[in-house]
């Protein structure tokens, strides 16, 4: 199935809390992530800067779609030496669509996503939560909503996560490369 979100056509991936997203499963090694991602396209593996001595070395696996070369990154997977795959980020423009109980999360105008998250929470009699930056999303510790500037619109770039080595929460586990202020790198 293919979703249209006003940004790009995209494949649909399933999210399973504490299990994974699409073909990627939490706990996979770098080699397993690369093998699973081969069906999507090419991968590039890089070392991540070790900003916190608490964490073991981490690698960033960028997955690029097949077809147009060079293609932008569609998915970024972060793999820790100690716990394996712990974070999967879907690009707001080129990444697959991932829904949370029917609520599409990827590439959405963040103000529209907030309205839908509130309506969903009211209809289902559940909670939703805000990130410290003010982005609304599901009340699931494994989903951390981020913003990615696309043109003049701030779109949703969700991170699907489990707690990594030495961290207390998924928020504490977030790779430093994923910290952004209004969709821009904080560095």
């Amino acid at each position: 199935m293919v979703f249209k979100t006003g940004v790009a056509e995209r494949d649909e991936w399933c999210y399973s809390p504490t299990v994974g997203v699409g073909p990627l499963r939490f706990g996979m090694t770098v080699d397993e992530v690369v093998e699973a991602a081969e069906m999507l396209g090419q991968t590039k593996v890089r070392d991540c800067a070790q900003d916190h001595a608490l964490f073991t070395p981490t690698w960033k696996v960028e997955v690029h779609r097949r077809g147009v070369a060079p293609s932008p990154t569609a998915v970024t997977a972060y793999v820790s030496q100690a716990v394996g795959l712990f974070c999967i980020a879907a690009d707001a423009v080129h990444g697959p669509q991932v829904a949370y109980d029917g609520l599409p999360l990827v590439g959405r105008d963040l103000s529209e996503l907030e309205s839908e998250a509130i309506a969903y929470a009211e209809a289902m009699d559940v909670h939703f939560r805000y990130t410290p930056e003010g982005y609304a999303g599901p009340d699931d510790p494994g989903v951390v909503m981020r913003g990615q500037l696309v043109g003049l619109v701030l779109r949703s770039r969700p991170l699907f996560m489990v707690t990594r080595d030495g961290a207390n929460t998924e928020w504490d586990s977030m790779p430093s490369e994923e910290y952004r202020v209004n969709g821009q790198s904080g560095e």
Side-chain angles (χ1 to χ4, degrees):
M1 178 183 287
V2 177
F3 278 93
K4 285 193 175 194
T5 62
V7 177
E9 287 189 9
R10 53 184 83 232
D11 299 329
E12 178 183 357
W13 282 13
C14 293
Y15 163 64
S16 298
T18 70
V19 175
V21 179
L24 303 176
R25 299 291 174 252
F26 297 120
M28 286 178 149
T29 66
V30 169
D31 291 339
E32 290 170 333
V33 170
V34 168
E35 184 178 328
E38 281 181 355
M39 64 181 248
L40 305 169
Q42 298 178 333
T43 58
K44 185 182 292 185
V45 179
R46 301 173 187 222
D47 290 334
C48 288
Q50 194 163 350
D51 292 341
H52 304 288
L54 178 68
F55 299 136
T56 60
T58 302
W59 297 273
K60 177 164 96 171
V61 181
E62 296 173 334
V63 181
H64 302 265
R65 292 189 179 279
R66 287 196 204 302
V68 182
S71 66
T73 303
V75 174
T76 304
Y78 295 91
V79 182
S80 164
Q81 182 179 18
V83 298
L85 177 62
F86 69 93
C87 179
I88 303 160
D91 183 79
V93 177
H94 304 284
Q97 183 54 261
V98 183
Y100 183 88
D101 198 23
L103 180 64
L105 298 178
V106 182
R108 305 288 307 281
D109 177 301
L110 282 166
S111 62
E112 290 174 8
L113 179 58
E114 178 183 31
S115 296
E116 288 187 25
I118 292 168
Y120 168 83
E122 289 173 350
M124 303 301 286
D125 196 27
V126 296
H127 299 281
F128 69 98
R129 68 179 177 162
Y130 287 99
T131 64
E133 292 90 356
Y135 307 142
D139 187 24
D140 179 329
V143 180
V144 177
M145 296 306 299
R146 308 299 295 150
Q148 179 179 332
L149 195 58
V150 178
L152 298 176
V153 178
L154 197 55
R155 298 221 175 249
S156 57
R157 175 188 171 88
L159 306 182
F160 302 94
M161 303 179 63
V162 293
T163 305
R164 71 185 293 188
D165 52 309
N168 295 318
T169 67
E170 285 78 5
W171 186 261
D172 298 332
S173 300
M174 192 165 55
S176 59
E177 289 88 349
E178 293 297 331
Y179 281 100
R180 305 207 191 281
V181 178
N182 291 327
Q184 300 298 315
S185 174
E187 298 173 348

